[in-house]
Amino acid sequence: MKYRPARITVAALAAALALTVSGCSLENTGGGDTVKLVIGYQSKTINTVTAGTLLKAKGFLEQRLEALTKGGGPKYQVEWQDYDTGAPITAQMIAEKIDIGSMGDYPLLINGSRTQANERAKTELVSITGYNPKGALNMVVVAPNSAAQSIKDLAGQKVSASVGSAGHGTLVQALTRAGIDPKSGVEVLNQQPQIGSSALESGQVAALSQFVAWPGLLVFQNKAKLLYDGAELNVPTFHGVVARRDYAKQHPEVLNAFVQAQVDATDFIHKQPLEAAKIVADNSGLAQEVVYLYNGPGGTSFDPTLKPGLIAAFKDDVQYLKSIGDFADLDIDKFVEPTVLQQVYKDRGLNYDAELANTANPAPITGTDALTNQSITNPAQASEIWFTGQDTTQPAADPTSLLRAIKQARAQGKQIRVAYVPDAELGTRWFADKALWVRDGETYLPFTTPAAAQRYLAGHPSGVTVTYDQAVNEVRQ
């Protein structure tokens, strides 16, 4: 059954506190010897796939729990509930009907704030699914024919966002930095991602601010173009896993198994990124090319550890709660609970502290540049081509080399399924044919947004804007 949450509103979140508690959190059913685990996840929020879509599809959790059963423990029953945003997961956790959930950083703030009033509902942040150190997982897109060139052009316009989501949090920060009051400077329509996408396509709103994978999906489908890259904020954004403390206390072996399974899924996405992208695409309805944009090498950093930099940014985001409603103060230090994850790393023979200190993307693009026959040494420049009909991708040392490879492939009659490049300023992984290109001498630089390209041109008068096809056609072999 596909669970469809209602529209997100602050009032609805507050009303969730008044939900009637049934007196049981659904964990003990089936004659008393079956432990039930209810998991809330978001199949289309592909930054949470290691605790959701991929984890569910691969059955890693069920395998871990089955091993516990064989050891003489009770039987375990897992129920997966799919939602579009984090708010309804929080509402169900308040009602003690979901035991473990995954969501973005701003929804996690709301989750921690709203659940603490009830000891049985109170949650703890136990792991991270994926993150971007600069905030590139949230973006603002506009219609393909929009004249808007920067976030400032949205002043006085209608913008669709899911209030309380990571995408909405980014919108608030972006508008504030641009000198626009996020409450009075724009009209925010509180809409689910699908509704907002339709509103953008029909012209009912000027822009859509959302979390992964919606911006990439709409741009890939030629239904939108990118206006604002969340990486401009240079503030880490992440998604994570919360568990009800009461449930974890009653069934510590279940939470341990879940985190172990999440690490299994994280290992899988690192070792088999294309296969993982196919699995996620098949189970989410998203295009595999869009999934791979975020889940592939050089995209989202899939790393479960609760890194100090992420937690510091999380603390700074607490003020967001006050900006959208009357939320209880949240003590982040008490909300974050790394004990289970630390034990899991110890059980697997891994050094948690070493992983905690490592901020590099654990899955960079590697390999050999096919044109130069040299090893890829700079992950920040590395690019990638996926040829039609191939089940592997071809790396390129940098965007200029990628253009040369595409030019050669076209001359040979090969079809390009998709190509990926890093933004020259912010490093955001993006579609090569959707990027805005600048030629500076014999170097070609891709940018995700008009504002980013203009910033470069302002400091480099030798630069010239070119289209993607122009860049491919004129690049020297």
Side-chain angles (χ1 to χ4, degrees):
M1 177 179 180
K2 179 81 170 180
Y3 289 76
R4 291 294 179 186
R7 290 177 59 187
I8 307 172
T9 64
V10 174
L13 287 170
L17 284 172
L19 288 172
T20 300
V21 178
S22 64
C24 99
S25 58
L26 299 183
E27 75 268 22
N28 291 313
T29 60
D33 60 352
T34 298
V35 176
K36 185 171 184 178
L37 171 64
V38 183
I39 302 168
Y41 76 111
Q42 303 169 63
S43 64
K44 289 182 170 59
T45 305
I46 56 177
N47 204 39
T48 64
V49 296
T50 53
T53 309
L54 180 63
L55 178 62
K56 177 176 181 288
K58 290 297 294 181
F60 290 133
L61 174 59
E62 287 78 3
Q63 293 166 23
R64 290 279 179 179
L65 293 175
E66 179 64 23
L68 292 178
T69 299
K70 290 181 179 178
K75 295 180 180 179
Y76 296 93
Q77 178 184 347
V78 181
E79 179 180 327
W80 296 84
Q81 296 184 3
D82 186 5
Y83 296 90
D84 294 319
T85 62
I89 297 176
T90 292
Q92 291 293 83
M93 295 187 90
I94 292 171
E96 303 169 31
K97 295 182 181 298
I98 285 180
D99 307 305
I100 297 176
S102 56
M103 59 193 74
D105 41 15
Y106 288 97
L108 285 168
L109 286 175
I110 294 173
N111 181 283
S113 175
R114 288 303 191 200
T115 59
Q116 64 181 298
N118 176 3
E119 282 299 320
R120 286 174 57 88
K122 185 179 292 186
T123 59
E124 56 192 13
L125 178 63
V126 298
S127 66
I128 302 298
T129 54
Y131 73 94
N132 182 281
K134 292 185 176 182
L137 300 172
N138 307 309
M139 295 174 165
V140 181
V141 295
V142 294
N145 61 353
S146 173
Q149 294 292 300
S150 74
I151 197 76
K152 292 183 178 180
D153 295 325
L154 297 183
Q157 302 292 312
K158 293 181 179 179
V159 181
S160 175
S162 303
V163 173
S165 73
H168 180 244
T170 290
L171 176 65
V172 169
Q173 287 197 61
L175 291 172
T176 300
R177 290 196 184 187
I180 301 173
D181 188 322
K183 291 184 178 180
S184 61
V186 299
E187 182 182 349
V188 176
L189 273 63
N190 186 14
Q191 298 175 322
Q192 296 284 43
Q194 298 96 321
I195 302 300
S197 299
S198 297
L200 180 67
E201 192 173 0
S202 65
Q204 297 175 32
V205 296
L208 172 79
S209 184
Q210 281 295 353
F211 46 83
V212 294
W214 294 99
L217 174 64
L218 293 174
V219 171
F220 178 75
Q221 295 174 332
N222 295 314
K223 294 180 179 179
K225 62 182 179 182
L226 189 58
L227 177 70
Y228 186 85
D229 183 343
E232 286 192 36
L233 294 174
N234 197 27
V235 176
T237 184
F238 64 90
H239 290 65
V241 177
V242 282
R244 288 197 302 108
R245 291 178 184 269
D246 182 67
Y247 183 91
K249 183 178 180 180
Q250 293 184 50
H251 308 293
E253 80 287 358
V254 175
L255 181 57
N256 182 279
F258 183 92
V259 176
Q260 286 277 12
Q262 183 195 340
V263 177
D264 292 338
T266 302
D267 289 344
F268 184 84
I269 208 171
H270 289 163
K271 294 176 181 177
Q272 301 187 53
L274 270 179
E275 176 62 19
K278 183 179 187 305
I279 292 171
V280 173
D282 290 345
N283 287 274
S284 67
L286 295 168
Q288 190 175 352
E289 297 90 340
V290 175
V291 175
Y292 194 68
L293 169 70
Y294 297 109
N295 286 186
T300 298
S301 292
F302 284 98
D303 181 342
T305 60
L306 293 151
K307 298 189 181 301
L310 299 181
I311 304 308
F314 199 38
K315 291 179 179 179
D316 290 340
D317 291 340
V318 170
Q319 59 186 334
Y320 168 77
L321 290 174
K322 300 298 183 182
S323 75
I324 64 170
D326 184 19
F327 287 89
D329 290 332
L330 178 63
D331 187 327
I332 298 298
D333 290 327
K334 292 181 179 179
F335 182 53
V336 176
E337 179 47 76
T339 306
V340 175
L341 185 60
Q342 290 170 339
Q343 185 61 49
V344 165
Y345 269 61
K346 182 178 180 180
D347 293 344
R348 299 171 80 106
L350 302 174
N351 188 328
Y352 181 81
D353 291 336
E355 294 293 331
L356 193 69
N358 186 1
T359 57
N361 191 319
I365 295 174
T366 59
T368 302
D369 187 303
L371 295 187
T372 65
N373 201 33
Q374 295 181 339
S375 297
I376 306 296
T377 58
N378 186 357
Q381 289 287 312
S383 305
E384 200 171 14
I385 310 171
W386 189 355
F387 291 106
T388 301
Q390 297 295 310
D391 56 6
T392 59
T393 59
Q394 177 177 306
D398 53 53
T400 302
S401 186
L402 177 133
L403 293 175
R404 294 191 179 110
I406 290 175
K407 183 175 184 177
Q408 181 184 80
R410 286 182 175 180
Q412 296 171 346
K414 295 181 180 179
Q415 297 294 316
I416 308 297
R417 180 169 178 174
V418 66
Y420 306 98
V421 290
D423 176 279
E425 177 191 36
L426 304 171
T428 302
R429 177 172 160 95
W430 201 237
F431 302 110
D433 63 333
K434 308 300 183 186
L436 303 175
W437 289 84
V438 171
R439 182 186 70 243
D440 196 345
E442 294 189 4
T443 300
Y444 290 81
L445 305 165
F447 296 91
T448 56
T449 66
Q454 288 304 314
R455 283 192 294 270
Y456 180 86
L457 292 170
H460 301 80
S462 57
V464 179
T465 58
V466 293
T467 67
Y468 170 67
D469 285 328
Q470 282 180 310
V472 172
N473 291 333
E474 67 184 31
V475 68
R476 293 187 180 182
Q477 294 285 44

